[in-house]
Amino acid sequence: VPELPEVETIRRGLQEHLPGRTIQRVETSGKKLRGAASPVPLKELEGRRIERIDRQAKFLLLRIDDGSTLLLHLGMSGKILLHDPAHPAPPHTHLRLLFDNYTELRFVDPRRFGATRLHPTGPIKELEHYGMDALDPRLTPEHLEGLLQQSRAPLKSFLLDQTKIAGLGNIYAIEALWRARLSPRRSASNTPRSRIPLLLEGIQGVLQDSLRNGGTTFNDYANTLGDPGGNLPFLAVFQKAGLPCPRCKQPIKRIVQSGRSTFYCGTCQR
Ligand SMILES: [Zn+2]
């Protein structure tokens, strides 16, 4: 599942190629993707120009010259590829945007949990309840402390709650807690004050490192060129149950929290 570093890697790939480009042709598969239909028909993008590419949480926001926004979400298995239009489109391509520089953006999503929606000018309702982005420079230890104090959820579930901090998924929540030496089972409000700066460093450190490595690929994720990310060998505990903790050499445990696997070291994470 693409998380913040993967989506940000794609954003950078799009930002490099698309601003200033005009969309000449829009084609859709006509198949329904997750959630609501596009508020504005995607065909309206024809003749419009891309201004810039933003990201909020795991949403890509392509800002259009008429003030509208094309929202793209990769869901479980989505990819956004920039291809030569002569290159055959892969199966499960649900949206194709042909640009005036003879590049085609292809939104490919076999499982169809993704989203492609064109929103008119103004705030996008479904983004309003998201918390501050995990890489937002305004996310300080003080801000994090305020959020932690209000939550009785286990730390792991707290980190996955997008209304608190946006953009952390299962892999990076697990890795951040390992770096901060905090147990995923500890109640969020019970996080010692002295450890909160460490937790923030853990969160931002795992995301920045993954971004530097081009994201983490297990099955599907690829950047806009179709290349996998290189971060997998750098994960410390994710999917390593029974293997020695890289820090204290005790075996890594696996538990299930809110239906998701958690991996952690019961010895050095407290
Ligand atoms: Zn350990």
Side-chain angles (χ1 to χ4, degrees), residues 5-110:
E6 292 78 47
V7 179
E8 177 62 19
T9 301
I10 291 170
R11 188 197 70 78
R12 292 175 182 185
L14 299 178
Q15 178 66 28
E16 208 174 301
H17 293 100
L18 299 186
R21 292 296 168 191
T22 299
I23 300 165
Q24 292 188 322
R25 196 176 66 216
V26 177
E27 279 180 51
T28 61
S29 67
K31 297 227 171 81
K32 192 174 157 18
L33 301 179
R34 180 182 71 171
S38 181
V40 177
L42 293 165
K43 269 279 177 195
E44 307 252 319
L45 287 167
E46 284 182 356
R48 303 253 59 111
R49 206 176 58 239
I50 304 272
E51 295 207 315
R52 63 171 197 284
I53 322 293
D54 292 332
R55 179 186 58 77
Q56 190 181 337
K58 296 196 252 175
F59 295 91
L60 287 162
L61 304 170
L62 283 66
R63 307 296 187 185
I64 312 299
D65 62 346
D66 63 354
S68 62
T69 297
L70 174 61
L71 175 154
L72 300 177
H73 191 284
L74 298 170
M76 305 286 286
S77 57
K79 280 183 196 164
I80 296 171
L81 301 166
L82 293 178
H83 278 164
D84 180 323
H87 185 287
H92 312 290
T93 298
H94 298 294
L95 175 65
R96 300 165 69 154
L97 303 178
L98 178 67
F99 290 93
D100 59 352
N101 61 343
Y102 216 60
T103 294
E104 195 168 75
L105 180 153
R106 290 158 173 186
F107 183 89
V108 180
D109 187 2

Side-chain angles (χ1 to χ4, degrees), residues 95-230:
L95 175 65
R96 300 165 69 154
L97 303 178
L98 178 67
F99 290 93
D100 59 352
N101 61 343
Y102 216 60
T103 294
E104 195 168 75
L105 180 153
R106 290 158 173 186
F107 183 89
V108 180
D109 187 2
R111 296 181 66 181
R112 285 194 266 142
F113 281 101
T116 57
R117 285 200 283 276
L118 183 58
H119 290 267
T121 313
I124 299 173
K125 232 190 166 121
E126 69 177 282
L127 299 184
E128 284 175 348
H129 67 279
Y130 280 81
M132 206 180 266
D133 194 87
L135 287 180
D136 193 317
R138 293 170 300 168
L139 180 57
T140 59
E142 293 70 31
H143 183 85
L144 181 56
E145 185 179 359
L147 296 171
L148 287 163
Q149 278 170 352
Q150 293 162 25
S151 172
R152 289 200 177 165
L155 259 180
K156 162 78 185 309
S157 312
F158 169 88
L159 292 181
L160 292 183
D161 182 348
Q162 304 295 305
T163 67
K164 311 279 197 242
I165 301 172
L168 272 184
N170 205 37
I171 298 175
Y172 300 111
I174 287 169
E175 293 289 316
L177 288 169
W178 181 80
R179 288 197 186 193
R181 300 178 185 236
L182 286 164
S183 168
R185 305 169 67 173
R186 180 190 275 279
S187 156
S189 60
N190 190 27
T191 309
R193 199 169 184 197
S194 61
R195 312 277 291 280
I196 293 172
L198 222 64
L199 176 57
L200 185 57
E201 272 176 47
I203 293 168
Q204 296 186 328
V206 291
L207 295 173
Q208 294 288 9
D209 287 353
S210 179
L211 207 44
R212 241 190 318 275
N213 295 324
T216 304
T217 298
F218 281 99
N219 308 307
D220 298 310
Y221 166 73
N223 66 17
T224 54
L225 302 172
D227 300 325

